[in-house]
């Protein structure tokens, strides 16, 4: 990548437009960028970084790019012309910035702009106007992130001097950012997670095995072998020997339980034999006692039967009389039914004659029939008159309906005419509503786009302000973390020094004249170390070191947090600009209000169109209704005349048919009622005569049946009758007595009962107590047997489960052992003798490459004295290993810690390290060629000879066609480097001055 031209307008300290011609400056290969402190030397480098990445190096705010000296009409802009990846490109970037409003007073915020062009065949053509597309294309061609670019192209010497003196942890942080070794750290974390997961599975399996062991211990009882007595020291859950010892202990428990079960089986068999004998003896006693009780009960039943003999004879006599009376029962029932029918017929006859005319009071059935036939003939003659009366009523109703319809049609004609007269005004009103709503819809669509942009800017402004507040707190935490880290480091160094002094004093205390020293082997000890006032132990030293490491980690976390918040704030500021949030919110609210009003008006468009459609449909409907009503009114007049003629013809006929009644229907109802009453009277008279004859016949039959049954009168036979339930009860009692007599006789004559009655009384209670004693002993033996068997079953089941679980757990245990070895190896534990983490191992390889590349230039800068070498020697007391850096002194043949280099040595060593790192990072990023480098400060610490050697090395970079820019205010460099770019500071802003290699 080679820079050709940079133009800065209203950028940083530069008020106007200034151009840096890198082609002219780079013609000599080495050029100087100098100026007074605060003039803006670093702003030139910021412009290069901003053009390429849209941001400035480090944690400087990205919303302070605009020059405070620039006029309001001069926009802030950076234009960079460069060649990268074999392509000539031009990048133009303008940050979000305020500009004067075109109309009225005040300012409006202008959005950020990014333009990317490419030169092809001598012509510039546009590639992209998108921030994202242009940034992705430049990032792809350069092959480095902004952090890497700022580290290898804009070489900050102060950071590399710190890098030389830093601990392995601090070096790992910088190298990790440059070489992106997160995937190796992720591999470490993945292996640790897999190891922890496998350990959890093994521990869960052992915990389940321990739960089974506790179940076996509970099943075996308190007097059994305890698992704790079988386990070796420390062989708990997760230990490799845990499962075998559990299985051995379980086997002993099972063997003991099976022996106890065999003893309980023998005891139960003996108890069962004794219990069976006691039960047989008790059964014999109970049988004898039962026979004796049966004999006594039979004697008591025989005495009771003898006492009931008189009652038995009386009930048998009553039952015989009732049996004879039952033969008269059917005749009695027939006579009762005949009497009921005759009484009912007489009542019906009296009711039928009650409403007859006086002249029919004594009439017979035939006379009543003849009178009823005459009434029905007269009723039939009124049928035709009823139809005529109904037709007359229909004519009256129809004429009234025609009158109502005519009135309704005339009113409809009037209403339709009034509505149609106002039709043109209504139609024009609906059309105006539609036009208004359509205009509002167009306005709402235009406002929606503006509102979306305003919403994004307002959201970005809120994020910007929130991140600004968050940044202040984060910077405060960073300052506190830095102070805490410095205090912790100082405390650790003090403790470490005290610890070393204490160890030396302890060794000196054991020295004896003539005996060799444990450290140097000398037998003379002229100056042994003296103990100090403060004695520090190893634990205190490790605690201080741990506190120092934790404080350093906290400082790095705080630095990362500040960088993250700064980037988030800059990104939000790019979108929101400098406009205050309140002003953006007010403008956004006004846009929302206007958009809502336009949307509300536009929402009425469908309703307006539907209203017009409804009005047109109503106009058509009312026109059709008016024409129909006019036609109906014209046809009703002739219909009324026909109805009037038909009604006059029916009036005379109805007057004759009504007679003295108001209507024909009333006269017909009265005749129908009389005919109905006359129709029931003849039948009722005939029914009364028939039932009287049937009652007389039933009385004669009853008297004959009573005589044949042996009763003097029918009344005596009726009195002797008993209810069927009573007869059934008496018969059942007689049958029960006969069965009881037979049962008592059979019981008393039974041989076994008679023999039992002659034996001594039985003692069933004594036999029961003997059985209970035998049962109690049997239950105790059975319970002990069941408990022993349950214990055996539980131990067998739990032992089998433990064996199965142990076999199932074997693959997981093997997997855990394998993952533990891999995770320990990747995290610097176990078999990893160097105690080097995987990420550190990769970074160590990169550091070795950097040291090799840096040594080539360092030897030349130091006249062949120094080279840088990487060391992976294991650090002591828990310090991170693998990222050591040593300076090899060829004059003394020794290796020195880079922290022991002098100020000048540190400068050219850090410069060599920076150049070497630039080469390695470039290769790592894809080999993109870097033809322009900048070196920022540090030359003031060099003597004249060393300065010449450093400049020779930098001048030697031209062999690879590179241009190197030195940023410094050292006056001696102005005499040594002819090509210069001077930054001149003034009250109205800074300016740039070029001086070519041949100028004075």
């Amino acid at each position: 990548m080679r820079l050709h031209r940079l133009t800065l307008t209203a950028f940083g300290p530069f008020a106007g437009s200034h151009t840096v011609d890198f082609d002219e400056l780079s013609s000599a290969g080495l050029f100087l960028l100098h100026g007074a402190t605060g003039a803006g030397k670093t702003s030139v480098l910021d412009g290069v970084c901003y053009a390429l990445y849209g941001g400035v190096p480090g944690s400087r705010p990205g919303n302070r790019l605009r020059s405070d000296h620039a006029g309001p009409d001069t926009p802030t802009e950076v234009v960079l012309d460069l060649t990268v990846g074999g392509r000539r490109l031009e990048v133009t970037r303008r940050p979000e910035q305020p500009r004067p409003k075109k109309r009225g007073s005040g300012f409006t915020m202008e959005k950020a702009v990014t333009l990317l062009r490419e030169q092809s065949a001598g012509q510039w053509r546009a590639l992209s106007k998108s921030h994202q597309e242009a940034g992705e294309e430049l990032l792809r061609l350069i092959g480095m992130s902004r952090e890497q670019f700022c580290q290898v192209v804009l070489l900050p010497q102060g950071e590399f001097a710190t890098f030389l003196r830093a601990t392995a942890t601090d070096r790992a942080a910088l190298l990790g950012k440059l070489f992106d070794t997160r995937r190796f750290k992720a591999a470490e974390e993945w292996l640790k997670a897999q190891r922890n997961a496998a350990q959890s599975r093994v521990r869960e399996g052992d915990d389940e095995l321990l739960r089974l062991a506790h179940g076996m211990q509970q099943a075996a009882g308190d007097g059994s072998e305890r698992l704790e007595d079988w386990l070796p020291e420390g062989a708990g859950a997760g230990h490799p020997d845990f499962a075998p010892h559990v299985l051995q202990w379980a086997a002993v428990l099972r063997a003991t339980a099976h022996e106890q079960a065999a003893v309980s089986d023998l005891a139960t068999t003996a108890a069962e034999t004794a219990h069976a004998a006691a039960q047989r003896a008790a059964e014999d006693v109970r049988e004898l006692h039962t026979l004796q009780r049966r004999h006594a009960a039979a004697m008591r039943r025989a005495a009771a039967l003898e006492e009931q003999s008189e009652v038995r004879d009386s009930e048998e006599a009553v039952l015989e009389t009732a049996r004879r009376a039952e033969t008269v029962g059917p005749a009695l029932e027939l006579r009762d039914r005949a009497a009921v029918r005759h009484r009912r017929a007489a009542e019906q006859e009296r009711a039928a004659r009650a409403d007859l005319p006086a002249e029919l009071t004594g009439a017979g059935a035939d006379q009543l029939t003849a009178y009823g036939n005459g009434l029905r003939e007269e009723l039939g003659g009124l049928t035709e008159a009823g139809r005529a009366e109904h037709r007359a009523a229909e004519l009256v109703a129809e004429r009234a309906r025609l009158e109502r319809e005519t009135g309704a049609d005339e009113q409809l004609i009037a209403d339709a005419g009034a509505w149609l007269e106002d039709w043109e005004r209504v139609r024009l009103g609906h059309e105006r509503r539609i036009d208004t709503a359509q205009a509002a819809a167009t306005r709402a669509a235009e406002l929606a786009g503006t509102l979306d942009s305003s919403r994004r800017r307002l959201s970005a402004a809120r994020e910007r302000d929130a991140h600004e507040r968050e940044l202040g707190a984060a910077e405060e935490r960073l300052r506190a973390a830095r102070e805490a880290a410095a205090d912790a480091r100082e405390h650790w160094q003090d403790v470490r020094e005290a610890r070393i002094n204490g160890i030396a004093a302890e060794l000196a205390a054991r020295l004896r004249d003539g005996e060799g020293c444990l450290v140097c082997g000398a037998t003379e000890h002229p100056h042994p170390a003296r103990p100090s006032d403060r004695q520090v132990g190893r634990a205190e030293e490790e605690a201080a070191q741990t506190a120092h490491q934790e404080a350093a980690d906290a400082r790095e976390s705080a630095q990362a947090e500040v960088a993250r918040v700064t980037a988030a704030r800059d990104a939000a500021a790019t979108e929101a600009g400098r406009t205050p949030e309140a002003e953006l919110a007010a403008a956004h609210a006004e846009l929302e209000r206007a958009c809502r009003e336009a949307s509300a008006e536009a929402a009425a468009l469908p309703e307006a169109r539907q209203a017009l459609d409804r009005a047109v449909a109503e106009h058509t409907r009312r026109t059709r209704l008016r024409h129909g009503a006019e036609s109906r009114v014209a046809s009703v007049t002739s219909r009324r005349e026909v109805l009037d003629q038909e009604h006059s013809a029916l009036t005379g006929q109805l007057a004759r048919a009504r007679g003295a009644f108001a209507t024909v229907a009333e006269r017909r109802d009265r005749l129908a009622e009389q005919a109905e009453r006359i129709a029931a009277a003849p039948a009722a008279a005939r029914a009364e005569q028939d039932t009287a004859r049937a009652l007389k016949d039933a009385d004669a039959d009853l008297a004959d049946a009573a005589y044949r049954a042996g009763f003097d009168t029918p009344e005596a036979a009726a009195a002797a009758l008993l209810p069927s339930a009573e007869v059934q009860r008496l018969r059942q009692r007689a049958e029960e007595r006969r069965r009881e007599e037979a049962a008592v006789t059979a019981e008393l004559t039974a041989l076994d009962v008679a023999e039992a009655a002659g034996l001594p009384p039985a003692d069933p209670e004594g036999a029961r107590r003997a059985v209970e004693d035998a049962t109690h002993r049997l239950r105790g033996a059975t319970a002990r047997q069941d408990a022993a068997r349950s214990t055996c079953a539980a131990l067998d089941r739990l032992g089998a489960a433990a064996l199965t679980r142990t076999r199932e757990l074997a693959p997981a245990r093997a997997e855990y052992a394998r993952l533990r070895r891999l995770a320990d190896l990747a995290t610097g534990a176990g078999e990893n003798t160097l105690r080097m983490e995987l990420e550190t191992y990769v970074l160590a390889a990169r550091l070795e490459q950097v040291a090799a590349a840096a040594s080539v230039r360092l030897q030349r800068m130091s006249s062949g004295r120094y080279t840088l070498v990487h060391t992976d020697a294991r650090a002591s007391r828990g310090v991170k290993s693998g990222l050591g850096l040593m300076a090899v002194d060829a004059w003394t043949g020794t290796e020195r810690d880079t922290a022991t280099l002098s100020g000048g040595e540190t400068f050219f060593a850090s410069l060599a390290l920076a150049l070497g790192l630039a080469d390695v990072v470039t290769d790592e990023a894809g080999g993109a060629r870097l033809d322009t480098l900048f070196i920022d400060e540090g030359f003031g610490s060099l003597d004249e000879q060393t300065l010449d050697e450093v400049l020779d090395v930098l001048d030697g970079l031209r062999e690879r066609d590179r241009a190197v820019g030195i940023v410094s205010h050292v006056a001696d460099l102005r005499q040594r480097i002819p090509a210069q770019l001077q930054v001149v500071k003034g009250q109205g802003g800074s300016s740039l001055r070029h001086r070519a290699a041949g100028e004075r």
Side-chain angles (χ1 to χ4, degrees), residues 68-119:
D68 296 330
H69 303 284
D73 296 327
T74 304
T76 298
E77 183 179 75
V78 176
V79 181
L80 178 62
D81 181 4
L82 74 159
T83 297
V84 59
R87 298 166 63 182
R88 184 73 175 264
L89 301 176
E90 182 189 77
V91 188
T92 301
R93 289 188 187 268
R94 290 195 291 271
E96 186 180 50
Q97 53 191 306
R99 64 166 176 80
K101 292 183 178 180
K102 296 179 180 179
R103 296 180 180 178
S105 61
F107 291 86
T108 184
M109 189 60 65
E110 193 173 59
K111 292 184 178 180
V113 175
T114 298
L115 302 175
L116 181 62
R117 299 197 303 168
E118 181 177 9
Q119 189 180 65

Side-chain angles (χ1 to χ4, degrees), residues 653-674:
Q653 179 182 352
L654 291 176
R656 292 189 297 271
R658 289 170 183 162
F661 294 92
T663 63
V664 174
E666 183 179 350
R667 184 182 177 190
R668 185 175 63 251
D669 292 341
R670 179 63 62 83
L671 290 176
E673 183 181 355
Q674 291 178 357

Side-chain angles (χ1 to χ4, degrees), residues 643-717:
L643 293 177
D644 291 343
Q645 292 175 0
E646 185 177 359
H647 185 270
S648 298
L650 292 175
T651 302
Q653 179 182 352
L654 291 176
R656 292 189 297 271
R658 289 170 183 162
F661 294 92
T663 63
V664 174
E666 183 179 350
R667 184 182 177 190
R668 185 175 63 251
D669 292 341
R670 179 63 62 83
L671 290 176
E673 183 181 355
Q674 291 178 357
E676 184 178 357
R677 289 200 301 271
I678 293 298
R686 294 189 183 94
E688 192 279 333
Q689 295 172 1
D690 294 340
T691 55
R693 286 194 296 272
L695 178 60
K696 184 176 180 181
D697 294 339
D699 286 337
D701 293 338
L702 176 59
D704 182 58
Y707 177 75
R708 287 197 301 270
F711 294 99
D712 296 336
T713 63
E715 289 75 10

